[in-house]
Amino acid sequence: MLGWKYLSLVGLLIFLNIFEVKADDDTSITTLPPCSVPGSDEGSNEGSLEEDLLCLEGSVLYNVGSTEPVEGLIENEYIVINCLFDEECTRVMNYNEIDRDDDLLIYQYGNGKVTKKKSFTYLDTNEKKLITCNSEGACLLETNEGYYVNDVSKSSVIDSPLINIDNGDATPVANVQPGNTYAGVDYNVIECKTVSSMVKCTSRLGRLGEIFVNSAGTGLEDALIECSEELPEDGGSDSGSGSNEDLPDKEVYCYPKEATPKEYYLNSGLNRTTKPLIECNDSKCEEKVGESGANYLNAASDSLTDAIIFCSNNKCEKQTPAGVNKYYVGKDGDDVDGLIECLAGEGSEEGQCSLKSAFTSEGYYLNSGYNKSVNQTIICDSTEGCNALKVDLGYYVNAGNTEKPIIKCEKEGNECVEEASSACPEISKAVPGNYCYESGQLKFFTVNNSTAITATRSDNIYAYAIIPSYGFPGIKTETGSLFKISRFFITRYYKSGIIMLDKNGKLVDSLDGDTSDITLFDCNETTKKCNEREGCTSNTYMFDSESAKVVFCNDGKLEYAKFTGYVVDANRFGSGTKHPYIIQCKGGENCISIKPKVSTYYENNGYDSNINGLIQCNSNNCMTVAAKVGYYVAHGENENAGIIKCTSNTSCSYIQVKNKVKYVNAGYDKKNNAIIDCYRGKCSVAKAKSGYYLTHTSTLLIQCTSPTSCAEFTPTVNYYDNADSSESSNTIINCVQNSNVVTCSSEATNNGFYLSSISNVLIRCKNGQKCKTIVVKNGIFRGAFKGLTSNKRSENVKNVHERTDDDLEEDGKMVNLRDNNDDAYGIIRCVAGKCAALSASELAAIPMCEFNNNKCYITLEYAMTKTATTSIAAGNICTNNDRSVFYFATDTVVVKPNVISGVTSTYVYTTTNTNCLEVNDSYNDMFFTVGSNIYTLDQGSVFQYYETGYYFINVAKNTLVGGNEIDAYNDENVKLYRCNGNSCSIIDKPDANTYYADVNKRILKYNVNNDIFSFAYEKDILCIFSNNKCTPNADMKDQEFCITYKGEIALTTADIKNRETGECYRANSISNYIYGYSQHLYHMNQFAAEMVDQTGFYIISLSTNTTVVSKNYKNKNNSIVIYGCTLSSCKVYEPREDTYYYDAQAKNILRYRNGVWNSPSTSGFAYIALDPLNTYIYKFEKEGDEITIQGKANYGYYYTIDNEMYKCDEEDGECKLIDRTGYYFTNSGEVYSCVYDSEGLEATECVRKNCVSGQYYYIDEAYYRCEVSSLLVPVVSRYCSYDENVVMNFPLALTEELPDKIKQGIDDIQKNNNSTAVVKRRGKNYLESISGIFTNCTYNVEETKSTFDLVCLNNYVAVDEKTDEVKICNVDQLGYVECVEDEENPEKCTISKAFHSRKSSLFLTIGVLFFGVLMNVFF
């Protein structure tokens, strides 16, 4: 076997696990020698067994010379082997016998074989020795003390990424955290971070200047790790490394470093992005975030370079001062801030920066920090520390540069500059605004030719001066200003508030005694001016900004106000007369003037607090207001938002609220923000959620009916919807009776329904969802908990099976059902909007069913009860045994059949394979119909559905039709349902084209011609409807309808462009119908529009878009429009003043005349337009407000209800007003005398003529009888008596040509009796007629015609053939009577005065004295 000569390794590169070449021709041993096989030609070692020497044959470990594998090996055991000269390899049993330069090998035993470990770390936990192996398998024993990286995936140590050798013992490092940093044994940096959810450490070369927190540090002596070009004087022994002879040759060495308290470094560790600063305290160094805007003295710098660490927004960086005499506010550990001074070194020494702890400065330092243009100076105080200070324009004593002792600030927002002070001017040459610095004192000149003003260390001086242009920093034009002169500065004074000065220019600190020599100034920071004022305004408070006190003007007298709390600062104005500021004081001291940033309330502690208990601040104005009982959002001390509780108009107190609670807002903004929400010590107003809130006491609740309306109330025993509940924290409010008090608390919810305090409202709760209130009319619901029953039968809920409690008595076959105990869930039933838990008897009437594959049977167990319901119809429910599951009957459900002697005994009620469904949320998007009823199912509930709208429901699939496939709407199983919020009905197909906006917000059109539905438009247009106007979201081109965001159908009157507004129609509800007119006239409700397709007129009120009623046309302000339709073709008609228009829908006729619409007040004839094609005289009947058209007039004359005479002509088929004066006999049997004004100046006037009741008239070759009301009716059989004498009249005005015999008789009367046949009637307006006596009335039924025989004409004289007496015909006597000579007219015969009326013979034979001829019958 070969011998090996070992060379020592250079430095600590052995840690890198890379075994380099030891010599030009020698390498490390990387494997065991092979075993010599007995009997071979080469060097058989048979008989030379070496029990300690090891060899390898086929991955099996042998002792040299043995044919048996090494015995005693343990499964998974690691075997450390040391190979010496001549390839002699032995197992290491004692680590003290090997050197760190020895060649080692490690094998792992398993399943009889060994495996060589490469790139492996082995820790012998018993001997506490560490061995590392390179990629070739060459291993060595690590003895240098320090930290070693451990790759747990290639190591025997799997519980730590780091191993430490200390005092010769190697152990895993416990509790290695992500972000930890260690000094490696090779002077590298070891950094640990999380990789794949495990902490992994890696070693890297350090970079010059890096500083780390040493995670292995035990105190300040090794608290840090520093990376430097040189090793520390001790050779880095603190890191655990070996002697200097073994040190690697490196550019940068990283090793532990001692720290000092209050040192700061820039962090180079892995956490540097989140904690960029290292801060050292009295015991350790820690990684810190770094205070934003803070400066830290960099302890790693010993010159001006990188002397400052500046932190901002979680980032820190090194900064180098621009030169010497630079000053910064510096952090000083836990002490108040000090001053970082960057000064020049002495002699040849380089300048450097140092931290000076807090002290009291003699003046100001010029700030060199990042904020030097805002906070231009630094002032230091031994108690308060050093602070960067924003200063007013002026002059300041420079404590940081004796060569330039003045800091001059002359431009706002800019840095200040140092300057040397000018010599003090001679008094005669001094002008206002001059200053000088002499003998350590600032001097200021306020007037010409005056001595300078100086201040003492204890007192400042205030002086008013008129400064010329550019005579003082910031003054560009001559300005009068108040100045403040201090030992260390001179500035203009204008702090908002008042300032009171005595005659020496010092602040007034007492208002006792005589105040007449006090000068009062009003100062304003905005205008930068102070104005002297005369007196004060009574009952106002003023803020003394310098003394931090409040001055009250008491009837013109100034006095300090002593109070704790708030008053309105009446001396500071905003816009106009608003007071945006309040003053807060504690006992009248340490007062501050506050401008509230938000709208809020404060307690009023002012003089008027007995009237106005509060200060209300809103819209930059604060004022005292009277309080109302309730709660207000308030801001107390330190702006902590709480509430103010007012128990009366003047008794209010501030409360700091620490817990989560709600209050009803009593403040001015309660209409917009009804709730005060307090959470984590902050209260603010908020919009409420509808529902109920717990409040400050368990005996009250807050009810919010809307986001803006809330009120406290005393609850009753009930459940209430918790408005504070959420999906992640689902709770309900439960109010229970405790003694005589109802108290409320929130509790976790169960799945199911709760009764609420409102009869038609239930609270529905589901896991993972916020409880919701639902308004219910009809439905049945599973209670949220078991044992829910009413104590007595509910008056609101009628048991459909009419069971009573007595029915629950058991018979011999009865079983104990679960309804008899608290193991069953309660059931809530709602009927007509009244909900209640079912009583025990009502619950027992609901069957229990067994369910399998949508098939239900009422259980035999239940059916055996005396009160069992043994059959339920579709639309009802049954349940499982504990009432937790509902089964909805889709068909009849009966009792499960019994099997008797092998024969099934049952009734067959159904024609389907299934008859029920298990009610759960898998059906919540389906609609189940039973007749016109619609049901929806959800977990634990069956609703009878009424939501307003039109529903296309596929009754075979129980689905609501939607989507873009029109065939789905025209499926034979689809029915259209109309629901109005109270009930639903199936809609028959309409008689005209109709548009529907269904609940899916899609417009469909039903075409009556082809009996199908189609989508009205390729894409529906959405629009906003308001005040009868629509604003669409696209151009309404050739589209009459758009759909609102609520799914309502709206009809536009014309095309409307996108986002523009135009007139449109929309009904208010599904039950409210209106008419809308566009291209067609539509009768429409909220979701449907049926095209008018019926000929006629539609008289519409434009104020309501409905058919007119009396209140519409009696109100002159209401506009009315007439649409005339011929089938579906409609247009607007301008009404003619002579025409009534008939609306068949309204059953009314209206006429527009002289700007007024009128409807007839009585029945009669009128000139009526029934439709655009038919205008004529019609007879109508009026009953109440309803008018019925009775018929169309015939040809002839008609006198209308409007006192107009019309003639209906047979030739042209029209009715026209008469156009001549004359008498007119109407078809209704009336005679009128009409006067026509041919010039058209006056309306035609007609007077009705009377006839004598019971007498007969001959007009137009026909006989009429005069009835009551002077109505002439044709003589028919009932008026015709053969043997009766009647008076017959021939109206002169209506008779153009008399019968010949009548004319002859008239001539004879005139000639022989100097008289006439005309009868003189008493009274006016009787028809002037020739009268006579007629008889022998005969009625011809076939011809419907009557005939009469003439007896005589009135005043006709004749001689009686028998008596030769002269007699005269008299109509009053119905015949001839004695005639005597008329004294006044000797040639005339008249009726005898002594004549007593008698009836003459009907067939008296008369001898005519003058004619001698008997007149014959002429008709």
Side-chain angles (χ1 to χ4, degrees):
M1 298 180 66
L2 295 175
W4 296 91
K5 181 178 180 180
Y6 289 88
L7 299 177
S8 62
L9 296 173
V10 179
L12 294 179
L13 289 179
I14 55 174
F15 178 79
L16 301 177
N17 299 327
I18 301 174
F19 292 82
E20 301 293 345
V21 176
K22 294 182 179 181
D24 292 341
D25 53 357
D26 292 329
T27 59
S28 299
I29 297 173
T30 60
T31 186
L32 279 172
C35 297
S36 297
V37 181
S40 65
D41 295 334
E42 297 181 6
S44 172
N45 53 8
E46 183 179 0
S48 59
L49 176 64
E50 297 290 344
E51 293 184 355
D52 293 336
L53 299 181
L54 299 173
C55 62
L56 190 66
E57 186 67 32
S59 299
V60 178
L61 192 64
Y62 292 89
N63 288 118
V64 173
S66 173
T67 59
E68 296 295 329
V70 175
E71 297 179 348
L73 298 180
I74 301 172
E75 195 73 15
N76 293 323
E77 178 184 10
Y78 292 100
I79 305 166
V80 181
I81 298 171
N82 185 12
C83 293
L84 302 175
F85 300 103
D86 300 324
E87 297 184 347
E88 295 179 355
C89 297
T90 60
R91 182 171 182 177
V92 174
M93 305 303 293
N94 186 350
Y95 288 96
N96 294 325
E97 296 177 356
I98 62 174
D99 294 330
R100 62 186 297 269
D101 291 336
D102 288 351
D103 287 338
L104 303 180
L105 299 174
I106 295 178
Y107 285 83
Q108 186 177 15
Y109 177 76
N111 295 323
K113 297 181 179 181
V114 293
T115 304
K116 183 173 67 174
K117 307 305 292 183
K118 301 178 182 180
S119 300
F120 190 71
T121 301
Y122 172 66
L123 177 65
D124 189 329
T125 56
N126 294 322
E127 298 296 327
K128 296 184 180 180
K129 299 299 179 181
L130 178 65
I131 299 174
T132 59
C133 304
N134 67 9
S135 60
E136 296 298 323
C139 306
L140 59 84
L141 176 68
E142 301 289 0
T143 58
N144 287 324
E145 295 192 350
Y147 288 90
Y148 295 78
V149 171
N150 177 42
D151 185 347
V152 296
S153 65
K154 301 175 182 180
S155 173
S156 64
V157 179
I158 60 174
D159 58 353
S160 177
L162 209 60
I163 295 173
N164 180 34
I165 298 179
D166 186 24
N167 294 323
D169 291 337
T171 56
V173 178
N175 196 30
V176 178
Q177 298 295 319
N180 280 8
T181 307
Y182 301 86
V185 70
D186 57 349
Y187 294 99
N188 276 2
V189 176
I190 298 175
E191 295 176 319
C192 302
K193 59 184 178 181
T194 300
V195 178
S196 299
S197 73
M198 294 179 61
V199 178
K200 183 177 182 180
C201 298
T202 57
S203 175
R204 69 169 176 85
L205 294 171
R207 288 180 283 272
L208 188 64
E210 286 186 317
I211 301 287
F212 306 88
V213 172
N214 186 5
S215 301
T218 57
L220 287 179
E221 63 275 5
D222 57 352
L224 299 172
I225 296 173
E226 180 182 28
C227 295
S228 174
E229 294 176 304
E230 299 178 357
L231 283 170
E233 293 180 359
D234 61 0
S237 59
D238 288 344
S239 69
S241 300
S243 63
N244 286 344
E245 288 77 7
D246 292 333
L247 291 179
D249 185 11
K250 302 168 68 73
E251 293 184 358
V252 176
Y253 300 90
C254 298
Y255 47 84
K257 169 183 171 62
E258 185 177 1
T260 303
K262 296 186 181 182
E263 282 186 339
Y264 297 94
Y265 299 88
L266 197 63
N267 186 13
S268 303
L270 292 176
N271 298 328
R272 58 185 176 274
T273 56
T274 57
K275 296 180 178 180
L277 187 71
I278 295 174
E279 178 183 13
C280 298
N281 54 34
D282 292 338
S283 60
K284 61 182 177 180
C285 294
E286 296 178 296
E287 294 175 322
K288 295 284 188 178
V289 173
E291 183 180 324
S292 185
N295 298 298
Y296 300 85
L297 183 66
N298 185 5
S301 172
D302 56 3
S303 66
L304 293 178
T305 303
D306 296 336
I308 306 292
I309 298 174
F310 172 67
C311 296
S312 176
N313 298 324
N314 296 331
K315 293 182 180 180
C316 297
E317 61 180 14
K318 299 174 184 177
Q319 292 183 347
T320 299
V324 295
N325 293 332
K326 301 299 179 182
Y327 300 89
Y328 304 83
V329 173
K331 303 304 291 183
D332 193 16
D334 293 332
D335 295 334
V336 295
D337 292 345
L339 184 69
I340 296 177
E341 301 176 303
C342 296
L343 305 175
E346 296 182 3
S348 60
E349 291 183 6
E350 185 179 357
Q352 61 180 10
C353 299
S354 60
L355 177 68
K356 186 176 182 180
S357 295
F359 65 101
T360 300
S361 60
E362 291 291 314
Y364 294 79
Y365 295 88
L366 202 57
N367 183 17
S368 297
Y370 77 102
N371 57 348
K372 59 186 177 182
S373 61
V374 178
N375 298 325
Q376 301 92 342
T377 64
I378 298 172
I379 189 167
C380 294
D381 181 85
S382 59
T383 302
E384 297 181 0
C386 296
N387 293 284
L389 183 68
K390 180 180 180 179
V391 293
D392 296 322
L393 303 185
Y395 304 103
Y396 297 83
V397 173
N398 187 2
N401 191 346
T402 56
E403 296 180 359
K404 295 181 177 180
I406 297 297
I407 296 174
K408 181 179 181 181
C409 301
E410 58 180 350
K411 192 173 183 180
E412 291 182 350
N414 280 25
E415 301 176 39
C416 299
V417 297
E418 300 172 316
E419 68 175 21
S421 175
S422 302
C424 291
E426 297 179 7
I427 293 176
S428 60
K429 296 181 180 180
V431 296
N434 284 167
Y435 89 100
C436 60
Y437 183 66
E438 187 177 72
S439 302
Q441 276 196 323
L442 274 174
K443 299 182 178 181
F444 185 65
F445 298 87
T446 58
V447 294
N448 292 321
N449 302 322
S450 66
T451 56
I453 296 174
T454 59
T456 64
R457 183 179 291 273
S458 59
D459 289 319
N460 297 326
I461 302 296
Y462 298 81
Y464 188 83
I466 299 175
I467 307 298
S469 301
Y470 299 99
F472 193 86
I475 293 180
K476 297 179 181 179
T477 60
E478 184 176 274
T479 302
S481 185
L482 188 65
F483 289 86
K484 182 177 182 179
I485 301 98
S486 164
R487 178 176 174 82
F488 297 118
F489 62 83
I490 302 169
T491 62
R492 294 173 67 186
Y493 181 85
Y494 41 73
K495 189 184 297 183
S496 290
I498 64 164
I499 185 170
M500 297 182 295
L501 304 176
D502 63 15
K503 60 185 178 181
N504 297 317
K506 296 182 180 180
L507 287 177
V508 172
D509 57 5
S510 174
L511 292 175
D512 297 333
D514 184 14
T515 59
S516 59
D517 62 346
I518 293 177
T519 302
L520 188 65
F521 285 90
D522 270 336
C523 299
N524 189 307
E525 293 176 7
T526 303
T527 61
K528 294 183 171 61
K529 289 185 177 181
C530 293
N531 297 315
E532 186 176 346
R533 62 180 294 174
E534 295 292 334
C536 61
T537 303
S538 292
N539 295 330
T540 59
Y541 293 91
M542 298 171 286
F543 177 59
D544 186 338
S545 53
E546 283 293 82
S547 65
K549 294 181 180 180
V550 173
V551 178
F552 179 62
C553 185
N554 188 356
D555 291 331
K557 182 181 179 182
L558 299 175
E559 55 186 44
Y560 284 118
K562 301 291 185 181
F563 66 90
T564 296
Y566 302 89
V567 296
V568 175
D569 189 343
N571 196 55
R572 299 184 69 179
F573 291 90
S575 60
T577 59
K578 291 183 177 181
H579 298 292
Y581 290 85
I582 60 170
I583 305 171
Q584 178 187 8
C585 293
K586 292 182 180 179
E589 303 289 338
N590 301 317
C591 301
I592 54 174
S593 183
I594 303 169
K595 184 178 183 180
K597 298 177 182 178
V598 295
S599 298
T600 187
Y601 286 85
Y602 298 86
E603 292 178 74
N604 180 21
N605 300 106
Y607 73 96
D608 61 342
S609 59
N610 61 335
I611 299 173
N612 297 321
L614 294 173
I615 297 173
Q616 175 188 310
C617 293
N618 176 43
S619 300
N620 285 326
N621 187 36
C622 297
M623 58 184 176
T624 60
V625 294
K628 295 180 180 179
V629 174
Y631 297 90
Y632 300 81
V633 165
H635 283 68
E637 185 177 356
N638 299 324
E639 289 294 303
N640 291 324
I643 61 164
I644 290 177
K645 177 182 179 181
C646 293
T647 55
S648 70
N649 292 349
T650 58
S651 178
C652 300
S653 59
Y654 175 80
I655 301 172
Q656 179 64 43
V657 182
K658 295 182 179 179
N659 55 339
K660 181 180 181 181
V661 67
K662 299 282 194 305
Y663 298 87
V664 176
N665 182 17
Y668 74 96
D669 56 348
K670 61 185 178 182
K671 289 185 178 180
N672 294 322
N673 299 292
I675 286 290
I676 297 173
D677 185 10
C678 297
Y679 183 61
R680 292 182 178 177
K682 299 288 185 181
C683 298
S684 60
V685 294
K687 289 188 182 298
K689 300 175 185 176
S690 294
Y692 298 86
Y693 292 93
L694 294 170
T695 185
H696 56 94
T697 173
S698 63
T699 60
L700 294 175
L701 290 179
I702 297 172
Q703 180 184 15
C704 296
T705 55
S706 72
T708 59
S709 178
C710 298
E712 281 185 355
F713 75 102
T714 301
T716 57
V717 175
N718 266 307
Y719 286 95
Y720 295 87
D721 176 36
N722 189 356
D724 255 346
S725 180
S726 64
E727 292 184 359
S728 60
S729 177
N730 198 7
T731 58
I732 196 168
I733 296 173
N734 185 14
C735 296
V736 297
Q737 185 88 30
N738 288 324
S739 298
N740 295 324
V741 179
V742 175
T743 60
C744 302
S745 62
S746 64
E747 63 182 38
T749 59
N750 300 322
N751 276 331
F753 292 83
Y754 294 83
L755 289 165
S756 77
S757 59
I758 304 172
S759 65
N760 68 334
V761 174
L762 296 179
I763 304 171
R764 177 184 191 173
C765 299
K766 283 186 176 183
N767 285 338
Q769 298 180 16
K770 184 187 180 303
C771 294
K772 296 180 180 178
T773 58
I774 57 172
V775 178
V776 182
K777 289 184 179 175
N778 288 342
I780 191 161
F781 309 89
R782 200 209 80 179
F785 50 88
K786 294 180 178 180
L788 171 67
T789 57
S790 60
N791 293 327
K792 62 179 180 178
R793 185 174 170 203
S794 169
E795 296 178 357
N796 296 335
V797 181
K798 184 177 181 182
N799 183 352
V800 293
H801 301 294
E802 294 297 332
R803 300 287 192 243
T804 66
D805 289 338
D806 294 336
D807 294 332
L808 294 177
E809 294 180 3
E810 299 182 358
D811 57 23
K813 297 181 181 179
M814 205 164 190
V815 295
N816 183 23
L817 296 179
R818 300 190 68 172
D819 283 349
N820 294 333
N821 53 47
D822 291 338
D823 289 341
Y825 283 91
I827 293 179
I828 300 168
R829 190 191 296 274
C830 299
V831 177
K834 295 182 178 179
C835 302
L838 296 185
S839 66
S841 61
E842 291 168 334
L843 194 60
I846 296 178
M848 295 179 180
C849 288
E850 60 181 51
F851 173 86
N852 185 23
N853 291 328
N854 293 344
K855 185 73 174 178
C856 283
Y857 284 108
I858 297 172
T859 64
L860 291 172
E861 181 185 19
Y862 170 80
M864 292 175 65
T865 62
K866 182 178 179 181
T867 59
T869 301
T870 57
S871 175
I872 59 173
N876 290 303
I877 69 159
C878 58
T879 73
N880 67 344
N881 283 350
D882 70 351
R883 306 294 191 186
S884 63
V885 179
F886 288 178
Y887 305 112
F888 176 73
T890 57
D891 207 328
T892 304
V893 177
V894 297
V895 178
K896 185 176 182 180
N898 272 323
V899 178
I900 303 173
S901 300
V903 179
T904 300
S905 175
T906 186
Y907 293 99
V908 178
Y909 287 86
T910 64
T911 59
T912 59
N913 293 325
T914 62
N915 66 346
C916 69
L917 297 170
E918 180 180 336
V919 177
N920 55 54
D921 54 12
S922 65
Y923 299 106
N924 62 7
D925 59 347
M926 300 179 73
F927 292 80
F928 298 88
T929 60
V930 179
S932 61
N933 293 328
I934 301 174
Y935 298 91
T936 59
L937 312 182
D938 202 348
Q939 190 70 45
S941 66
V942 177
F943 282 91
Q944 193 166 351
Y945 193 82
Y946 303 121
E947 291 296 321
T948 299
Y950 285 91
Y951 298 80
F952 288 87
I953 297 177
N954 188 314
V955 296
K957 298 180 179 178
N958 301 311
T959 57
L960 182 67
V961 179
N964 296 319
E965 295 297 329
I966 196 61
D967 290 343
Y969 287 87
N970 291 299
D971 189 285
E972 63 181 359
N973 294 309
V974 171
K975 293 183 180 181
L976 177 57
Y977 287 78
R978 174 182 177 269
C979 298
N980 61 12
N982 294 308
S983 64
C984 297
S985 58
I986 301 173
I987 300 298
D988 295 330
K989 291 181 178 178
D991 297 327
N993 292 349
T994 304
Y995 293 83
Y996 295 97
D998 74 348
V999 292
N1000 293 315
K1001 298 183 181 180
R1002 191 71 192 267
I1003 302 176
L1004 294 108
K1005 178 183 179 182
Y1006 173 74
N1007 192 312
V1008 73
N1009 293 325
N1010 53 20
D1011 188 26
I1012 63 170
F1013 287 95
S1014 62
F1015 294 123
Y1017 311 109
E1018 182 178 348
K1019 184 178 181 181
D1020 293 335
I1021 293 176
L1022 286 173
C1023 57
I1024 298 172
F1025 176 87
S1026 179
N1027 297 324
N1028 295 325
K1029 294 183 183 298
C1030 285
T1031 305
N1033 68 350
D1035 289 347
M1036 295 283 294
K1037 186 175 182 181
D1038 298 327
Q1039 288 190 209
E1040 292 181 281
F1041 294 97
C1042 60
I1043 192 164
T1044 71
Y1045 291 92
K1046 296 180 181 179
E1048 306 157 315
I1049 195 167
L1051 172 68
T1052 59
T1053 59
D1055 291 349
I1056 307 174
K1057 290 186 177 181
N1058 181 20
R1059 306 301 176 187
E1060 295 185 0
T1061 300
E1063 301 288 336
C1064 69
Y1065 301 89
R1066 188 220 63 187
N1068 291 328
S1069 71
I1070 200 169
S1071 302
N1072 167 238
Y1073 282 85
I1074 65 171
Y1075 285 91
Y1077 182 67
S1078 181
Q1079 298 173 17
H1080 299 276
L1081 183 64
Y1082 292 92
H1083 192 219
M1084 55 194 296
N1085 63 25
Q1086 193 174 8
F1087 303 100
E1090 181 177 359
M1091 185 185 297
V1092 171
D1093 196 21
Q1094 184 176 346
T1095 298
F1097 286 105
Y1098 298 82
I1099 307 173
I1100 307 301
S1101 168
L1102 292 179
S1103 62
T1104 62
N1105 291 320
T1106 58
T1107 52
V1108 292
V1109 293
S1110 60
K1111 66 179 181 181
N1112 295 135
Y1113 56 79
K1114 289 180 180 178
N1115 186 347
K1116 291 185 178 181
N1117 293 327
N1118 282 335
S1119 298
I1120 292 175
V1121 65
I1122 296 178
Y1123 298 105
C1125 298
T1126 304
L1127 294 179
S1128 63
S1129 177
C1130 303
K1131 66 178 182 178
V1132 176
Y1133 271 72
E1134 189 69 30
R1136 294 171 51 186
E1137 294 204 347
D1138 63 345
T1139 305
Y1140 282 93
Y1141 293 87
Y1142 177 65
D1143 187 334
Q1145 318 304 313
K1147 292 187 176 180
N1148 198 3
I1149 59 174
L1150 286 176
R1151 184 176 73 173
Y1152 185 74
R1153 177 173 285 185
N1154 299 326
V1156 177
W1157 288 92
N1158 283 304
S1159 180
S1161 59
T1162 184
S1163 304
F1165 290 93
Y1167 188 62
I1168 301 174
L1170 289 186
D1171 56 58
L1173 302 178
N1174 292 288
T1175 303
Y1176 209 74
I1177 295 294
Y1178 291 89
K1179 185 178 182 181
F1180 67 90
E1181 182 180 13
K1182 182 178 179 69
E1183 186 173 351
D1185 287 334
E1186 189 173 294
I1187 286 178
T1188 303
I1189 302 295
Q1190 293 182 311
K1192 184 177 180 180
N1194 209 334
Y1195 307 119
Y1197 293 98
Y1198 291 90
Y1199 193 67
T1200 68
I1201 57 171
D1202 298 302
N1203 302 322
E1204 295 173 328
M1205 184 65 70
Y1206 278 85
K1207 180 183 180 182
C1208 296
D1209 199 311
E1210 184 176 4
E1211 294 181 0
D1212 57 16
E1214 294 182 359
C1215 297
K1216 298 179 181 178
L1217 289 167
I1218 61 172
D1219 55 2
R1220 59 185 178 84
T1221 299
Y1223 282 78
Y1224 296 89
F1225 180 42
T1226 70
N1227 284 11
S1228 58
E1230 299 169 320
V1231 177
Y1232 289 88
S1233 172
C1234 298
V1235 177
Y1236 173 75
D1237 183 2
S1238 59
E1239 295 182 1
L1241 300 176
E1242 299 289 340
T1244 299
E1245 184 177 345
C1246 295
V1247 177
R1248 184 178 177 185
K1249 292 297 184 178
N1250 297 327
C1251 62
V1252 180
S1253 180
Q1255 294 187 359
Y1256 291 74
Y1257 288 80
Y1258 181 77
I1259 303 173
D1260 293 336
E1261 300 182 354
Y1263 293 102
Y1264 298 87
R1265 175 183 169 88
C1266 182
E1267 297 295 329
V1268 178
S1269 301
S1270 294
L1271 190 65
L1272 294 169
V1273 298
V1275 175
V1276 293
S1277 60
R1278 70 174 178 273
Y1279 297 133
C1280 196
S1281 179
Y1282 187 80
D1283 59 355
E1284 182 181 5
N1285 280 4
V1286 298
V1287 177
M1288 185 71 68
N1289 297 283
F1290 296 84
L1292 296 177
L1294 298 173
T1295 307
E1296 295 183 3
E1297 187 70 28
L1298 291 170
D1300 291 341
K1301 292 183 179 180
I1302 300 300
K1303 287 195 292 183
Q1304 183 61 49
I1306 291 172
D1307 290 342
D1308 290 344
I1309 293 170
Q1310 176 65 36
K1311 179 179 179 181
N1312 299 321
N1313 197 27
N1314 194 23
S1315 185
T1316 177
V1318 176
V1319 177
K1320 300 294 185 181
R1321 305 290 183 188
R1322 292 181 179 180
K1324 296 180 179 180
N1325 295 333
Y1326 276 96
L1327 281 171
E1328 189 175 15
S1329 303
I1330 295 172
S1331 304
I1333 305 301
F1334 283 69
T1335 190
N1336 294 344
C1337 179
T1338 303
Y1339 182 75
N1340 188 322
V1341 177
E1342 293 180 357
E1343 297 181 3
T1344 63
K1345 184 177 181 181
S1346 301
T1347 59
F1348 287 86
D1349 290 335
L1350 173 64
V1351 177
C1352 62
L1353 293 177
N1354 187 47
N1355 287 336
Y1356 189 86
V1357 178
V1359 177
D1360 190 330
E1361 291 181 351
K1362 294 180 179 180
T1363 63
D1364 291 334
E1365 292 180 353
V1366 178
K1367 296 186 178 182
I1368 189 169
C1369 184
N1370 184 267
V1371 294
D1372 294 332
Q1373 303 303 320
L1374 295 178
Y1376 284 98
V1377 296
E1378 182 183 355
C1379 180
V1380 297
E1381 185 178 351
D1382 190 344
E1383 297 177 356
E1384 296 181 1
N1385 185 357
E1387 296 182 358
K1388 180 180 181 184
C1389 177
T1390 185
I1391 188 171
S1392 173
K1393 295 180 180 180
F1395 175 75
H1396 296 284
S1397 184
R1398 64 178 178 83
K1399 183 176 182 181
S1400 300
S1401 171
L1402 293 175
F1403 300 99
L1404 180 63
T1405 301
I1406 302 174
V1408 181
L1409 178 63
F1410 302 106
F1411 304 111
V1413 179
L1414 180 64
M1415 292 186 68
N1416 295 321
V1417 177
F1418 66 97
F1419 289 126

